[in-house]
Amino acid sequence: MTILDKSITEIKKHPPQDVIEECYEQIEKWAKKTNAFITLIPKEVSAKKAKSATGPLAGVPFVMKDSYLTSNIRTTAGSSILASYISQYDATVYKKLISAGAILIGKMNMDAWGHGASTENTDFGPAKNPWDLTRVSGGSSGGPAIALATRTAAFAIGEDTGGSIRNPSAWCNLTGLKVTYGRVSRYGCIAYASSLDTVGPMAKTAEDCALVLEHIAGKDQYDATSSEAVVPQYSKELNKPVREVTLGWSDELLVDLDSEIAKPLVAARQKFVELGMKIKKISLPLLKYGVPLYYILAPSETSSNLARYDNVRFGSTRDKFTPESERRIMIGTHALSAGYYDAYYKRAQKIRTLFINNYQKALDQCDAIIMPVNPTIPPKIGELLDKPINNMIADYFTGTINLAGLPSLSLPCGFSKDNLPVGMQLVGQMFSEDLLLRIGHQYQQSTDWHRQKPKI
Amino acid sequence: MTYHPIIGLEVHVELRTASKMFCGCPANYFGKDPNTQNCPVCLGLPGALPVPNKKAVEWTIMLGIALGGKINQDSKFDRKNYFYPDLPKGYQISQYDEPVATGGKLMGIRIRRVHLEEDTGKLIHTEIDGEKVALVDFNRSGVPLVEIVTEPDFKTLDEVDLFLKKLQLIIRHLGISEADMEKGAMRIEPSISMQEDTIESLPNYRVELKNINSFRFARKALEFEIRRQTDMFTKGETPTQQTRGWSESKNETVAQREKEEANDYRYFPEPDIPPMKFSKTQVSEITSLTPELPDQKLARLGKEYDISSDLADRLIQSRLTSDLFEDLVQKSNVNVDFKNIDAPTIAKWLINHPPNTKSKLEDILREILESKPVSTLTPDDIDTLIGDALKTHPQTVTDFKKGKHAVVGFIIGSILSKTTSSIDRELLGKRIIVKLQSY
């Protein structure tokens, strides 16, 4: 086992210089093949930091989706518009991690502005799934997922607006946490859809996600939507009993579901039963309206959030926006404009409330809901790019969870017949990350899907 | 066919909070070097988020109450989306359908709403090396701005003038802004249409006027519009809905752009700021902390102090002056050195010598004492002087009876020139009139 195969707690026991050395060796092997990095921090810089690292995460290497502001280091959001943009301040999440001694080694490839589920809609070249380089890594936090799968970092900070942490985590065999809206500060995270964006950890295990979450969660004076809710010691509660936990299951989810996804999901359900948990039948009748709903609200907010990229104070000219982003800007502008606002945006917000109620009703009957993450195995590169509707449908199981602000933990739960990773998600009540991580951790104590890694 | 003007006002006032509306940068930007008071938030940098200024919200509530409005229990911010180089985010955080306050009345004019928003940066058009350029200064970007909108209730330009002066005075007494038009802390955008005198309803167009930076120009611009619009009607033309800018150099209004309908701004609730709820308790607390309004102060000064209503009115034109007046009178009553300085003397002194906030009360009183020797004349002495003056100038008595009241001034002058004692002019005038009336 290499150093980076280990948990964060174990990695910390190694001299930071050795850890960094291994990171960069892995980068040598994998980076060009997978195109995971947009900005790679030079080895000398990381090695220097390793020498003087102090704090609870001292010397632990991490990467961030390139949507986070990091002083004096370029932040591009995956778009040519910011290809030369040097961050002028630190994102709160970044500040917290480097204060804890963690070492940033790269800013990672992503679908530009978060617009996509495959990291193909990037202006820095498509990212490739290390499990099969002809296939997509998922998105929009594809780069971070690849970095973890190829053992070039110990953890990553992704960003999830409609599935962007969970989707690539599932397709690259990682554990990704979409937090409750407001759990982690969004200050310094380039906004896609302000009422949906969440900042979250990605790692090999739920245990590692828990450790990172402890350091990044909490109220921030610079983010008015960040929550005052107490931050539990997530990593200390992972072994509390999960017997008597009830998991919700809806058979509707299996209807028309690709068997490659359904099989591992059903097996996971069985595993939960073996661990002593109960299964309760629940219903999610509105799910089929999720994609259209998401694709009215998210583009509406993005059409406004992207207005600041006007070439006046920074960034390139607006002709550098690419088709997927232009599409979303236009849809959003249309949905908000005179004569259409009531029929689209306003109505969508009302339906959003129905979804919130729907999930609440389901969660009244169970502690967490088991759901698939992606409806398919990772497509071939190029397959989704000229099928915008298929691209949207990738968010079928993930998007509405953002609309309701709920947390969800994505876990590896098996492989397809072609040895491609399959993931599942556990969706809980707001601020129930502690429960989700606990269930995930104990699931991972009795399974080893998450330990698999792609062959070079 | 005769026409009458229908005028409404939109007034923007910059609040003098310490910080800007959504970030911690200093809100006072006047005279500062360009782009020296900025941060990621007010520059609209990627990833920045707005956090509302609590004081600004409280002051807006206070203003809403002072204007007789109702504070909405539910209020929120909305995004007003449009492109302009001085608008860094490409949208302005404002309020659309749930403003802080609705309704109210001032001098008979109905207030439609009072809401809170952020100011934009400033564009400066100039030439650099012979090339025409537009420069942007973002120091002003994000400064808290209160917007007061009236119903189109104004019928005359005098009404507009008096209303604006009153509004400015109220704002100054509340202490929420200096509301200086010269410094851009108060901006006026009147809207005007003309309607046939026989028709009651509102016409289907209105002209919004911009670039007005003084009460005087507001009047001039409105006068111009009244003439322009009336001329059009006379020729059988109907003025169109438009925005016109006042041109100081041309002394006229010039068409700018067709007025955009509200929906073109694609307003939607600001997702980065949770909606606000104003409880009754909160509102009563703010009401109880509201400083005395000018009208209340005027009435009280007239009652509590022995000064004329004219003097009181002049005192309240500045809150600093009226506050200082009361402090000085209190001090003079307490300190035996100054007990002979009466309230009218203090009032007149302050009116003629704009106060310096740094001066100590004793120093000011001493100054007053030294400039004005205490009169040793008794009322009887004064009557004697008057009697003498009237004997010397008997014509004044007959003139007064004929209605020529200007003779009072002549007699005052005559007395003051002959005496070394200092006599209160107003008091003297009153006694002269009493004497003349007794003849």
Side-chain angles (χ1 to χ4, degrees):
Chain A
M1 206 190 201
T2 67
I3 301 174
L4 287 166
D5 279 332
K6 301 180 185 180
S7 70
I8 295 175
T9 311
E10 291 303 308
I11 290 172
K12 279 195 311 178
K13 293 178 183 164
H14 290 261
Q17 287 97 300
D18 292 352
V19 184
I20 294 298
E21 189 67 45
E22 193 178 286
C23 283
Y24 283 84
E25 275 168 16
Q26 289 298 103
I27 290 169
E28 270 294 310
K29 290 184 199 158
W30 281 104
K32 276 209 184 71
K33 280 201 178 83
T34 56
N35 199 23
F37 285 79
I38 290 179
T39 300
L40 175 64
I41 305 297
K43 187 175 170 185
E44 321 82 73
V45 175
S46 301
K48 193 161 175 226
K49 288 193 194 136
K51 280 209 185 85
S52 54
T54 54
L57 293 174
V60 181
F62 74 106
V63 295
M64 297 183 94
K65 183 184 193 183
D66 204 12
S67 55
Y68 292 96
L69 277 293
T70 46
S71 289
N72 305 316
I73 299 167
R74 180 172 71 154
T75 302
T76 68
S79 170
S80 318
I81 293 193
L82 294 180
S84 332
Y85 183 69
I86 305 296
S87 320
Q88 299 296 303
Y89 70 102
D90 288 332
T92 298
V93 62
Y94 175 62
K95 217 183 201 156
K96 285 183 166 183
L97 289 168
I98 56 177
S99 300
I103 297 173
L104 178 76
I105 59 164
K107 303 293 292 294
M108 311 310 284
N109 206 350
M110 56 180 279
D111 286 291
W113 313 108
H115 298 164
S118 62
T119 313
E120 290 178 284
N121 184 36
T122 152
D123 295 344
F124 295 87
K128 298 177 187 163
N129 196 319
W131 292 88
D132 178 341
L133 295 169
T134 66
R135 294 185 184 266
V136 303
S137 60
S140 51
S141 311
I146 296 165
L148 293 168
T150 57
R151 306 302 192 250
T152 58
F155 70 91
I157 301 298
E159 187 277 316
D160 192 313
T161 301
S164 294
I165 282 178
R166 294 163 285 162
N167 167 311
S169 295
W171 278 346
C172 292
N173 205 49
L174 297 162
T175 305
L177 178 64
K178 177 228 170 279
V179 298
T180 308
Y181 182 81
R183 176 76 287 184
V184 179
S185 170
R186 291 182 297 121
Y187 184 71
C189 175
I190 293 180
Y192 161 12
S194 311
S195 74
L196 306 172
D197 292 348
T198 58
V199 174
M202 298 161 73
K204 299 185 297 296
T205 62
E207 183 185 8
D208 282 353
C209 285
L211 189 59
V212 175
L213 185 60
E214 258 169 40
H215 285 98
I216 63 175
K219 175 79 187 161
D220 182 17
Q221 58 170 321
Y222 291 102
D223 178 353
T225 60
S226 64
S227 171
E228 306 261 5
V230 164
V231 179
Q233 289 196 295
Y234 298 107
S235 63
K236 307 262 186 304
E237 306 185 352
L238 295 170
N239 289 307
K240 273 163 72 169
V242 294
R243 289 184 177 281
E244 306 310 312
V245 169
T246 307
L247 296 175
W249 173 270
S250 166
D251 281 327
E252 299 154 339
L253 298 171
L254 292 179
V255 173
D256 289 336
L257 185 63
D258 190 331
S259 62
E260 299 263 46
I261 305 294
K263 243 174 66 188
L265 192 70
V266 171
R269 186 186 69 183
Q270 185 50 36
K271 178 56 76 175
F272 289 129
V273 170
E274 281 169 31
L275 290 172
M277 291 178 247
K278 297 188 176 16
I279 305 294
K280 180 92 185 276
K281 277 218 167 28
I282 54 118
S283 184
L284 295 170
L286 296 178
L287 212 52
K288 64 178 186 275
Y289 301 110
V291 168
L293 184 62
Y294 176 82
Y295 279 98
I296 288 172
L297 293 174
S300 295
E301 294 188 12
T302 213
S303 72
S304 177
N305 283 328
L306 295 186
R308 66 188 64 193
Y309 303 100
D310 58 3
N311 185 234
V312 172
R313 291 145 293 128
F314 56 85
S316 301
T317 49
R318 283 180 281 182
D319 55 331
K320 298 260 178 4
F321 278 119
T322 47
E324 182 59 43
S325 298
E326 286 181 328
R327 202 173 290 131
R328 295 189 194 206
I329 292 168
M330 287 196 290
I331 290 172
T333 306
H334 181 71
L336 291 173
S337 53
Y340 299 99
Y341 178 91
D342 285 355
Y344 289 118
Y345 185 83
K346 190 169 177 184
R347 195 169 173 81
Q349 287 286 47
K350 290 183 178 181
I351 297 169
R352 183 175 181 173
T353 305
L354 295 180
F355 264 93
I356 292 170
N357 296 343
N358 205 196
Y359 277 114
Q360 192 49 58
K361 208 158 151 214
L363 287 165
D364 280 342
Q365 307 192 56
C366 62
D367 298 304
I369 303 168
I370 305 171
M371 286 175 74
V373 177
N374 298 310
T376 63
I377 56 165
K380 293 269 189 193
I381 290 174
E383 232 183 275
L384 287 179
L385 212 51
D386 37 77
K387 293 201 186 78
I389 301 291
N390 285 23
N391 202 349
M392 292 182 189
I393 291 172
D395 296 333
Y396 188 86
F397 295 113
T398 51
T400 55
I401 288 151
N402 297 75
L403 292 170
L406 301 172
S408 175
L409 180 66
S410 171
L411 299 163
C413 65
F415 289 85
S416 72
K417 59 179 175 353
D418 293 324
N419 202 39
L420 296 166
V422 175
M424 54 154 281
Q425 57 177 331
L426 293 169
V427 182
Q429 296 267 21
M430 288 184 101
F431 302 107
S432 65
E433 286 88 350
D434 50 349
L435 175 67
L436 303 178
L437 289 163
R438 196 182 346 142
I439 299 170
H441 173 68
Q442 290 182 38
Y443 174 79
Q444 288 176 340
Q445 301 286 71
S446 354
T447 56
D448 63 359
W449 307 116
H450 60 285
R451 275 188 256 273
Q452 311 307 315
K453 58 183 181 183
K455 310 253 182 312
I456 185 75
Chain B
M1 199 85 77
T2 52
Y3 302 88
H4 61 272
I6 295 172
I7 302 167
L9 287 179
E10 206 176 277
V11 181
H12 284 91
V13 176
E14 274 175 1
L15 297 179
R16 61 197 263 287
T17 47
S19 311
K20 291 187 179 182
M21 186 63 224
F22 297 111
C23 65
C25 292
N28 185 6
Y29 64 90
F30 194 76
K32 303 285 191 314
D33 285 341
N35 295 313
T36 51
Q37 297 189 161
N38 294 121
C39 74
V41 179
C42 57
L43 276 178
L45 295 190
L49 295 173
V51 181
N53 181 323
K54 188 163 179 230
K55 187 116 265 168
V57 176
E58 288 172 352
W59 284 1
T60 308
I61 292 174
M62 198 159 75
L63 180 60
I65 296 168
L67 295 176
K70 176 178 154 290
I71 304 303
N72 292 317
Q73 204 171 44
D74 293 305
S75 182
K76 63 170 165 57
F77 289 103
D78 299 284
R79 291 192 186 177
K80 180 179 181 178
N81 297 281
Y82 67 95
F83 284 105
Y84 208 66
D86 66 4
L87 192 65
K89 297 187 294 298
Y91 58 86
Q92 179 196 32
I93 301 178
S94 176
Q95 295 193 290
Y96 182 51
D97 56 339
E98 290 182 6
V100 171
T102 18
K105 210 172 203 175
L106 179 64
M107 302 186 80
I109 305 294
R110 292 169 300 164
I111 306 290
R112 183 177 293 170
R113 54 187 276 152
V114 176
H115 78 247
L116 185 53
E117 58 187 28
E118 55 174 346
D119 211 342
T120 64
K122 222 190 237 183
L123 277 187
I124 297 150
H125 300 277
T126 184
E127 246 183 57
I128 294 179
D129 296 336
E131 190 192 333
K132 281 208 172 98
V133 294
L135 305 174
V136 202
D137 176 12
F138 290 103
N139 282 351
R140 195 182 72 178
S141 165
V143 168
L145 215 53
V146 168
E147 183 174 318
I148 302 136
V149 184
T150 74
E151 297 294 349
D153 289 349
F154 295 95
K155 305 229 169 10
T156 71
L157 299 188
D158 283 344
E159 273 179 9
V160 173
D161 205 48
L162 289 169
F163 178 93
L164 287 171
K165 292 197 167 107
K166 193 51 159 300
L167 179 63
Q168 189 184 53
L169 194 61
I170 289 172
I171 287 167
R172 287 175 174 172
H173 275 259
L174 289 176
I176 62 178
S177 174
E178 282 311 311
D180 268 321
M181 289 205 68
E182 303 77 48
K183 289 189 183 162
M186 179 165 164
R187 296 167 223 162
I188 308 165
E189 278 166 26
S191 286
I192 176 167
S193 347
M194 300 296 290
Q195 182 61 287
E196 283 179 43
D197 284 342
T198 50
I199 300 177
E200 270 296 318
S201 59
L202 295 172
N204 58 3
Y205 79 96
R206 64 189 172 98
V207 175
E208 199 172 279
L209 303 175
K210 287 195 190 299
N211 196 34
I212 290 168
N213 53 28
S214 70
F215 293 165
R216 208 177 110 246
F217 286 149
R219 180 180 278 269
K220 284 181 131 191
L222 287 166
E223 278 169 351
F224 180 86
E225 273 302 300
I226 290 171
R227 281 198 303 274
R228 185 186 75 88
Q229 292 182 27
T230 309
D231 280 348
M232 287 184 79
F233 276 115
T234 313
K235 287 188 199 135
E237 296 163 18
T238 314
T240 49
Q241 181 99 345
Q242 55 176 203
T243 302
R244 297 178 72 88
W246 171 250
S247 164
E248 214 175 305
S249 51
K250 295 190 188 149
N251 230 18
E252 58 184 40
T253 65
V254 176
Q256 279 186 354
R257 61 174 198 266
E258 294 300 302
K259 173 110 179 86
E260 292 172 45
E261 289 302 321
N263 282 344
D264 277 351
Y265 292 119
R266 301 190 299 284
Y267 283 102
F268 71 99
E270 171 56 82
D272 289 327
I273 303 173
M276 302 175 282
K277 263 191 147 51
F278 301 131
S279 67
K280 283 201 171 64
T281 325
Q282 221 178 339
V283 174
S284 351
E285 208 180 295
I286 293 173
T287 311
S288 66
L289 293 170
T290 303
E292 198 176 23
L293 294 177
D295 282 350
Q296 297 166 327
K297 197 179 285 269
L298 179 65
R300 190 175 58 77
L301 290 180
K303 232 180 16 191
E304 285 177 19
Y305 300 87
D306 189 19
I307 53 172
S308 64
S309 55
D310 176 60
L311 266 186
D313 190 65
R314 291 168 78 182
L315 282 175
I316 61 153
Q317 292 310 309
S318 155
R319 181 171 161 190
L320 176 64
T321 306
S322 47
D323 283 351
L324 197 52
F325 167 75
E326 294 201 75
D327 289 342
L328 287 169
V329 171
Q330 193 183 54
K331 194 85 187 178
S332 74
N333 288 340
V334 155
N335 190 323
V336 73
D337 294 337
F338 305 120
K339 71 168 167 50
N340 281 327
I341 306 176
D342 60 11
T345 307
I346 294 174
K348 282 178 206 158
W349 173 269
L350 287 177
I351 288 162
N352 292 316
H353 302 84
N356 182 342
T357 43
K358 294 191 181 75
S359 305
K360 293 208 332 229
L361 295 177
E362 292 93 338
D363 294 340
I364 300 176
L365 288 169
R366 202 161 292 121
E367 249 189 280
I368 298 175
L369 203 58
E370 280 158 18
S371 74
K372 235 179 172 356
V374 177
S375 176
T376 51
L377 298 175
T378 65
D380 282 340
D381 293 336
I382 294 174
D383 281 346
T384 310
L385 283 175
I386 295 173
D388 290 342
L390 293 180
K391 266 205 203 94
T392 318
H393 306 281
Q395 189 62 27
T396 55
V397 179
T398 20
D399 282 347
F400 186 79
K401 283 202 176 315
K402 281 188 196 156
K404 290 184 187 164
H405 294 181
V407 299
V408 175
F410 171 76
I411 298 167
I412 291 173
S414 168
I415 293 170
L416 289 180
S417 64
K418 292 202 181 80
T419 179
T420 49
S421 302
S422 133
I423 307 172
D424 184 86
R425 208 186 162 93
E426 206 177 307
L427 180 66
L428 184 58
K430 282 195 181 127
R431 296 194 81 87
I432 291 169
I433 291 171
V434 165
K435 195 86 180 163
L436 284 168
Q437 282 168 340
S438 71
Y439 276 77

